[in-house]
C-alpha cells in the first residue's frame, strides 16, 4: 500500500511512473523523520527495503540523479553506478545520513559525477577524509580537479550556498525565511540548481533561484508542498 500510494502521488505530480520497479518480497523504503524546534530533521531508515534491490531499467537515462544512501546495498550500488557511468549528466547529491555515511561509497561515486552537491557539514567531513583544503572554494576546486566534476555546489542552509563552475567560485547569501520543516528543502535546491545549469543560466541566477526554492520549501510542512513558480520568481 505505501508503494501504491507513492506511485499515485508521483503520477499526480506529472512524473512518469512506467519505470517504477515493484519488488514482490521487500517493503517500500521509508524514513521516519523527527524535527527539532528549528525544523531540522533527523532520520531513521527502514531496512532492508525495495530500493536496496534496484535493478537496471531497460533504457539508459540521459540525466541521472543519485546519492549515497541509495548505495547502502551492493545490488543497488552496482545499478546506480552503472547508470551514472553511461549518463550524459550524472548528478551526485552526497547526502550523508547516519549511519549510512560510507566514505568508500562517496569515493566510488565522485568520479562518475558531472555535478556534485553537498552540505557544508559533508564538505568538512570529506575534506578531512581526502586531505583536501577545508575552505569551501578551495575544496570545491579540489573535488573538480581530482574527480572531474564540472560543477560543485556547497550549501550552507540559511546562509546560502557557493558554486564552483567554469573554473570560478561564486557565492550567494541565503533567502530570509523562518524554517518550519526542512525535509525536502535540499532536494528542491538541487532541482533548481540542475534546472538552471541545464538551461545555461548565469551562476548568480542559478544560486538565487535554488536558494529561493529551498527556502520556500523549508517554510512549508512536508517535502513536496504546492507552489506557484511565477509568484516565487522562479520562472
Amino acid at each position: 500500500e505505501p508503494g501504491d500510494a507513492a506511485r499515485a502521488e508521483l503520477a499526480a505530480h506529472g512524473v512518469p511512473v512506467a519505470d517504477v520497479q515493484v519488488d514482490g518480497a521487500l517493503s517500500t523504503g521509508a524514513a521516519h523523520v523527527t524535527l527539532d524546534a528549528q525544523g531540522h530533521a533527523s532520520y531513521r531508515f527502514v531496512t532492508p527495503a525495495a530500493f536496496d534491490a534496484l535493478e537496471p531499467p531497460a533504457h539508459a537515462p540521459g540525466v541521472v540523479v543519485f546519492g549515497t544512501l541509495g548505495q547502502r546495498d551492493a545490488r543497488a550500488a552496482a545499478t546506480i553506478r552503472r547508470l551514472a557511468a553511461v549518463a550524459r549528466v550524472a548528478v551526485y547529491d552526497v547526502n550523508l545520513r547516519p549511519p549510512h555515511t560510507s566514505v568508500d561509497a562517496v569515493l566510488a561515486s565522485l568520479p562518475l559525477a558531472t555535478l556534485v552537491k553537498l552540505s557544508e557539514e559533508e564538505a568538512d567531513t570529506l575534506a578531512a577524509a581526502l586531505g583536501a583544503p577545508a575552505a569551501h572554494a578551495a575544496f570545491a576546486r579540489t573535488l573538480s580537479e581530482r574527480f572531474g566534476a564540472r560543477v560543485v555546489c556547497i550549501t550552507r542552509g540559511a546562509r546560502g550556498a557557493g558554486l564552483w563552475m567554469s573554473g570560478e567560485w561564486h557565492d550567494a547569501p541565503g533567502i530570509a525565511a523562518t524554517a518550519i520543516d526542512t525535509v525536502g528543502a535540499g532536494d528542491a535546491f538541487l532541482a533548481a540548481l540542475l534546472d538552471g545549469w541545464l538551461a545555461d543560466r548565469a551562476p548568480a541566477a542559478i544560486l538565487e533561484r535554488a536558494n529561493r526554492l529551498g527556502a520556500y520549501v523549508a517554510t512549508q510542512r512536508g517535502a513536496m508542498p504546492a507552489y506557484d513558480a511565477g509568484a516565487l520568481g522562479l520562472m
Side-chain angles (χ1 to χ4, degrees):
E1 290 182 2
D4 290 339
R7 186 159 48 181
E9 184 76 6
L10 290 171
H13 282 79
V15 179
V17 295
D19 288 322
V20 173
Q21 294 177 18
V22 177
D23 192 292
L26 294 169
S27 62
T28 299
H32 296 276
V33 183
T34 301
L35 300 176
D36 65 16
Q38 288 73 45
H40 299 125
S42 58
Y43 302 86
R44 178 175 61 83
F45 298 100
V46 176
T47 186
F51 69 72
D52 290 324
L54 187 67
E55 297 177 353
H59 67 286
V63 179
V64 171
V65 180
F66 68 108
T68 308
L69 179 64
Q71 300 181 62
R72 64 188 184 185
D73 185 281
R75 295 166 296 178
T79 294
I80 289 169
R81 293 170 193 173
R82 174 180 167 185
L83 288 172
V86 299
R88 175 175 59 86
V89 173
V91 180
Y92 179 39
D93 185 354
V94 176
N95 202 18
L96 299 178
R97 292 287 181 264
H100 308 288
T101 56
S102 168
V103 172
D104 288 341
V106 176
L107 293 177
S109 300
L110 286 172
L112 305 173
T114 313
L115 183 156
V116 177
K117 176 251 183 188
L118 66 169
S119 69
E120 60 181 341
E121 294 82 7
E122 291 161 348
D124 292 342
T125 297
L126 293 181
L130 298 173
H136 288 176
F139 174 73
R141 176 177 180 174
T142 298
L143 277 193
S144 178
E145 292 178 346
R146 189 177 300 183
F147 297 101
R150 294 171 59 186
V151 179
V152 178
C153 183
I154 300 176
T155 61
R156 303 187 299 261
R159 295 185 295 106
L163 184 66
W164 178 263
M165 181 174 158
S166 302
E168 295 183 356
W169 177 251
H170 308 270
D171 201 277
I175 304 294
T178 300
I180 295 175
D181 180 351
T182 59
V183 177
D187 296 318
F189 178 99
L190 178 59
L193 172 68
L194 176 58
D195 175 74
W197 181 66
L198 291 175
D200 200 27
R201 295 178 185 266
I206 293 173
L207 285 172
E208 199 277 336
R209 292 172 81 245
N211 279 328
R212 186 173 299 278
L213 184 56
Y216 171 77
V217 172
T219 66
Q220 307 298 307
R221 295 289 182 190
M224 294 173 60
Y227 69 92
D228 183 315
L232 288 175
L234 298 171
M235 299 298 288

